[in-house]
């Protein structure tokens, strides 16, 4: 029997009350929140049904214009959406919406925005304003896609020095349809530019007569000149004041040091003109109705391409140029190559040499006694000689039908091949060449790269030529670099690089571009290498190049080549992983070429002392 107020009765009453309360709550209708209308709006928007989406807003005309601009400016391929939450009281609602735009090319723009709905005359509508589409859009703004171009790759030298960097130049354009006279406008442009850069010998110049003639007879825009990015603003302002002239800024690769190796850098610029540009970035911006950017809503930064590596070594090039300029009175030139890689490190010429073109790379000169490197190699490879072998070195010697005389007629009779090489005996090496069969000396030269054709992107080169030697006298003269032997400083630098490396390297200006050669390189016989390296060292320690003995482990060969109008002074060799060839056209004795090379190595040593340790 249970009594009123007992624990069991009280518990039963409590359970009954809770059940009634739960039933009451379950039966209370949830306030409408406009979810259905919001879902219809998002579905229409995702389908690019702009009129259909706009009809579900309280400002359909404004919404249709804004949404249409957004779809077109974003160039979207599709839109995904989702309602994260929605809260309402039956009269108005606020929803958090996730939007995911696919903008092509794997570009996705994801964000969350807030959309408000209201019940208007019994119908739910989205309250339209641009911020419903994105919270940071203002009135009369729409999202727009922008490409962020990646910078071109920086170009660095083999020593890591920056040679070219992305920048801006200023192109001067003449509109011939606006100018009263094309020639008159060009004359005024020339006056502004030439006077503006008068203090800079390397600055831009306008040849008014030549440019005016090119511009005459045509119509429309005509590019007159490109000014460097650091051109003074006053010059650009003066140009813009000329009727029909405008100055446009253009992206370009610019030189941090405009005066550095201008000819070589022009070639590098041409090579990298279509080079890697990295990966473009992109941004979504808030744009005005006319497309102007107001602010940035989202950004994916561009990624620059890795630096392009050119073979030029700035410190080597600077030293080479300064060294040849010590003989600015002559056509003096120096080529430096890294034997281990074939990288062309420097090509330097005096202004006098520049007047005749690319003499260092393509000029053809008798190599004189520097060619004895090849003749000595042939003697070791084909005649069983070695540095200690006894060879004749008289002051004058009749060889076949040819009488050969040493420099100043000096001679020592029989001596070692090493001593004859160090003394540069013409009689010794004329005799070795005479003993060879026709074609053998030419074949030996090719094994050192001389006479081989190379197609080097960015460089036009000619190594040299050696005749077949079918004529005895011709073959004899060839043994000491006279007769029909011809070589460029580039070709003789390759010869020295071959000795240093053990085989001819593939010369290159832009390593990634590769090099084609008419003959595959093969390793030289170890006996030939050992002999040549030893004898080339003797030239410096006890022979004709002792003036450079203080520059470390230099190995080389001097040469004085007879030519119409005087003798050419040569010196070629290597130190460590640096091969070089120096030529002074009509420079007299080889000691002058040795002096230029000595200055070159001295400057390199000084630069190395100033370079902080890594």
């Amino acid at each position: 029997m249970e009594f009123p107020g007992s624990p069991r009765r009280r518990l039963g009453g409590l359970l009954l009350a809770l059940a009634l309360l739960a039933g009451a709550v379950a039966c209370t209708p949830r306030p409408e929140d406009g979810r259905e209308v919001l879902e219809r709006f998002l579905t229409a928007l995702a389908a690019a049904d702009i009129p259909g989406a706009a009809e579900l807003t309280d400002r359909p005309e404004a919404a249709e214009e804004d949404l249409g601009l957004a779809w077109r400016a974003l160039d979207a391929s599709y839109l995904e959406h989702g309602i994260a939450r929605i809260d309402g009281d039956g009269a108005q609602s606020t929803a958090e919406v996730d939007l995911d735009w696919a903008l092509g090319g794997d570009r996705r723009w994801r964000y969350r925005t807030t959309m408000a709905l209201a019940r208007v005359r019994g119908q739910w509508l989205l309250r339209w304003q641009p911020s419903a589409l994105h919270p940071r859009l203002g009135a009369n703004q729409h999202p727009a896609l922008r490409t962020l171009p990646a910078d071109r790759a920086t170009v660095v030298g083999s020593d890591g020095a920056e040679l070219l960097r992305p920048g801006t130049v200023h192109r001067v354009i003449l509109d011939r349809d606006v100018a009263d006279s094309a020639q008159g406008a060009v004359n005024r442009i020339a006056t502004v530019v030439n006077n503006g850069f008068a203090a800079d010998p390397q600055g831009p110049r306008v040849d008014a007569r030549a440019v005016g003639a090119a511009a005459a007879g045509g119509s429309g825009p005509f590019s007159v000149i490109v000014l460097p990015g650091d051109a003074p603003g006053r010059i650009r302002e003066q140009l813009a004041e000329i009727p029909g002239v405008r100055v446009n800024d253009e992206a370009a690769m610019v030189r941090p040091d405009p005066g550095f190796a201008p000819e070589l850098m022009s070639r590098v610029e041409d090579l990298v003109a279509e080079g890697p540009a990295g990966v473009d970035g992109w941004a979504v911006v808030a744009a005005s109705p006319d497309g102007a950017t107001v602010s940035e809503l989202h950004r994916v930064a561009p990624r620059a391409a890795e630096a392009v590596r050119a073979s030029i070594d700035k410190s080597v090039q600077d030293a080479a140029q300064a060294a040849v300029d010590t003989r600015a009175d002559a056509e003096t030139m120096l080529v430096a190559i890294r034997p281990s890689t074939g990288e062309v490190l420097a090509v330097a010429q005096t202004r006098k040499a520049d007047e005749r073109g690319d003499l260092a790379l393509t000029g053809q000169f008798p190599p004189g006694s520097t060619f004895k490197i090849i003749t000595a190699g042939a003697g070791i490879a084909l005649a069983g000689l070695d540095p200690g072998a006894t060879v004749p070195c008289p002051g004058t010697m009749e060889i076949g039908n040819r009488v050969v005389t040493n420099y100043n007629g000096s001679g020592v009779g029989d001596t070692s091949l090493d001593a004859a090489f160090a003394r540069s005996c013409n009689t010794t090496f004329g005799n070795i060449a005479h003993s060879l069969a026709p074609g053998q000396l030419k074949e030996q030269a090719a094994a050192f790269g001389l006479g081989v054709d190379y197609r080097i992107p960015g460089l036009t080169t000619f190594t040299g030529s050696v005749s077949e030697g079918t004529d005895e006298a011709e073959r004899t003269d060839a043994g000491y670099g006279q007769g029909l032997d011809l070589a460029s400083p580039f070709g003789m630098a390759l010869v020295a690089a071959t000795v240093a490396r053990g085989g001819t390297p593939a010369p290159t200006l832009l390593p990634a571009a590769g090099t084609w050669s008419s003959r595959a390189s093969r390793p030289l016989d170890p006996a030939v290498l050992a002999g040549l390296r030893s004898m080339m060292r003797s030239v410096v320690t006890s022979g004709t190049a002792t003036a450079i003995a203080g520059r470390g482990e230099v190995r080389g060969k001097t040469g004085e080549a007879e030519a119409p109008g005087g003798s050419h002074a040569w010196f070629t060799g290597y130190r460590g992983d640096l091969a070089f060839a120096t030529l002074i056209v009509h420079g007299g004795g080889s000691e002058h070429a040795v002096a230029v090379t000595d200055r070159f190595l001295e400057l390199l040593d000084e630069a190395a002392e100033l370079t902080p340790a890594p």
Side-chain angles (χ1 to χ4, degrees):
M1 181 175 183
E2 297 181 2
F3 296 93
S6 68
R8 180 175 292 183
R9 183 176 291 275
R10 288 198 301 273
L11 178 59
L14 179 60
L15 292 173
L16 178 60
L18 290 174
L20 292 173
L21 178 60
V25 171
C27 294
T28 302
R30 184 174 180 176
E32 292 187 24
D33 55 15
R35 176 185 289 270
E36 180 185 355
V37 170
L38 179 58
E39 289 178 343
R40 288 169 56 200
F41 171 83
L42 293 172
T43 299
L45 178 62
D49 178 8
I50 304 305
E55 287 179 358
L56 299 171
T57 72
D58 61 349
R59 298 171 58 212
E61 291 184 4
E64 184 170 354
E65 181 177 357
D66 291 341
L67 293 174
L69 284 172
W71 262 98
R72 291 192 296 272
L74 287 173
D75 194 24
S77 53
Y78 63 89
L79 169 65
E80 295 180 354
H81 56 84
I83 301 173
R85 76 180 277 180
I86 185 167
D87 296 311
D89 59 8
Q92 55 187 12
S93 298
T94 301
E96 292 183 6
V97 177
D98 293 323
L99 297 180
D100 182 355
W101 296 87
L103 306 180
D106 295 327
R107 294 176 293 196
R108 301 298 289 266
W109 183 34
R110 302 180 179 93
Y111 60 90
R112 178 169 289 184
T113 189
T114 301
M115 295 184 178
L117 296 100
R119 194 178 181 91
V120 180
R121 293 186 294 276
Q123 180 182 0
W124 283 98
L125 296 173
L126 179 74
R127 302 191 65 175
W128 179 251
Q129 52 187 342
S131 60
L133 194 59
H134 190 280
R136 287 163 52 200
L137 286 173
N140 298 315
Q141 294 177 8
H142 64 274
L145 180 66
R146 298 282 191 267
T147 298
L148 304 176
D151 281 339
R152 296 279 301 283
T154 298
V155 178
V156 299
S158 60
D159 58 345
E162 189 178 59
L163 303 179
L164 293 171
R165 68 164 70 107
T168 302
V169 295
H170 313 288
R171 185 177 297 276
V172 181
I173 297 175
L174 169 64
D175 188 339
R176 292 169 289 186
D177 296 336
V178 175
D180 292 336
S181 163
Q183 183 64 64
V186 170
N187 290 343
R188 293 184 62 183
I189 293 171
T191 299
V192 172
V193 172
N194 296 346
N195 289 344
F197 290 94
D200 182 2
Q202 301 294 331
R205 296 289 185 272
V206 176
D207 183 333
R209 178 175 297 179
V211 175
S219 61
F222 178 82
S223 177
V224 177
I225 190 172
V226 176
L227 303 179
D230 59 357
R234 60 180 175 78
I235 294 179
R236 288 178 277 145
E237 291 169 2
Q238 292 171 10
L239 290 169
E241 291 173 357
I242 301 173
V245 174
R246 66 180 187 272
V247 181
N248 291 350
D249 292 348
E250 294 183 0
M253 299 298 287
V254 300
R255 307 177 190 182
D257 181 358
F260 174 74
E263 178 62 28
L264 273 178
M265 292 313 303
S266 294
R267 298 175 184 209
V268 173
E269 285 177 4
D270 290 342
L271 279 178
V272 301
E274 302 299 328
V279 179
D280 288 346
W282 56 280
V284 178
V285 302
S288 63
D290 61 1
T293 298
V294 178
S295 63
E296 196 169 83
L297 307 178
H298 181 73
R299 180 183 182 86
V300 175
R303 298 197 306 274
E306 292 185 8
V308 174
R309 187 172 180 272
S311 70
I312 301 302
D313 184 307
K314 192 173 189 305
S315 61
V316 178
Q317 176 68 35
D318 284 340
Q321 190 62 55
V324 299
D325 284 342
T326 63
R327 286 299 311 270
D329 60 309
E331 294 172 355
T332 309
M333 59 210 78
L334 190 155
V335 175
I337 293 174
R338 179 172 284 128
S340 62
T341 62
E343 292 170 302
V344 177
L345 302 176
V347 180
Q349 298 188 157
T350 56
R351 288 181 179 244
K352 276 187 170 291
D354 287 341
E355 292 172 1
R356 291 182 55 202
D358 297 330
L359 295 184
L361 297 173
T362 62
Q364 295 297 285
F365 305 92
S369 293
T370 59
F371 190 84
K372 291 172 183 173
I373 295 172
I374 294 168
T375 308
I380 297 171
L382 303 174
L385 300 176
D386 60 53
T390 299
V391 293
C393 178
T396 299
M397 184 175 181
E398 185 175 348
I399 304 173
N401 58 0
R402 183 77 165 143
V403 176
V404 178
T405 303
N406 289 336
Y407 180 69
N408 288 334
S410 62
V412 294
D414 288 346
T415 187
S416 68
L417 181 63
D418 181 84
F421 190 86
R423 292 176 59 89
S424 201
C425 295
N426 291 343
T427 51
T428 303
F429 293 92
N431 189 52
I432 292 173
H434 181 265
S435 70
L436 300 176
Q440 285 187 314
L441 194 59
K442 179 178 182 178
E443 176 64 20
Q444 284 294 304
F448 288 81
L450 197 64
V452 178
D453 292 331
Y454 294 97
R455 295 178 189 167
I456 309 170
L459 293 180
T460 299
T461 62
F462 194 81
T463 58
S465 61
V466 178
S467 73
E468 291 288 339
T470 52
D471 178 82
E472 280 189 85
E474 178 186 304
R475 188 165 69 250
T476 300
D477 288 345
Y480 49 94
Q482 295 288 170
L484 298 180
D485 283 355
L486 293 173
S488 65
F490 169 77
M492 292 313 301
L494 264 184
V495 170
T498 300
V499 179
R501 186 175 188 266
T504 308
T508 179
L509 178 63
L510 204 69
T515 295
W516 175 90
S517 65
S518 61
R519 174 190 173 108
S521 174
R522 293 187 293 272
L524 293 185
D525 186 308
V528 172
L529 287 175
L532 289 177
R533 289 168 179 170
S534 173
M535 292 188 293
M536 289 173 72
R537 181 63 181 149
S538 295
V539 170
V540 175
T541 58
S542 60
T544 53
T546 54
I548 206 171
R551 297 295 168 209
E553 290 290 318
V554 180
R555 290 170 168 79
K557 185 68 190 77
T558 56
E560 181 177 336
E562 296 178 7
S567 299
H568 303 323
W570 282 92
F571 184 54
T572 188
Y574 67 95
R575 185 181 73 173
D577 201 18
L578 176 70
F580 50 81
T582 302
L583 168 64
I584 308 174
V585 177
H586 296 144
S590 61
E591 67 273 12
H592 300 296
V594 172
V596 170
T597 310
D598 182 64
R599 179 58 177 158
F600 167 59
L601 295 178
E602 179 184 28
L603 290 170
L604 280 180
D605 292 342
E606 290 175 357
E609 290 176 2
L610 296 174
T611 303

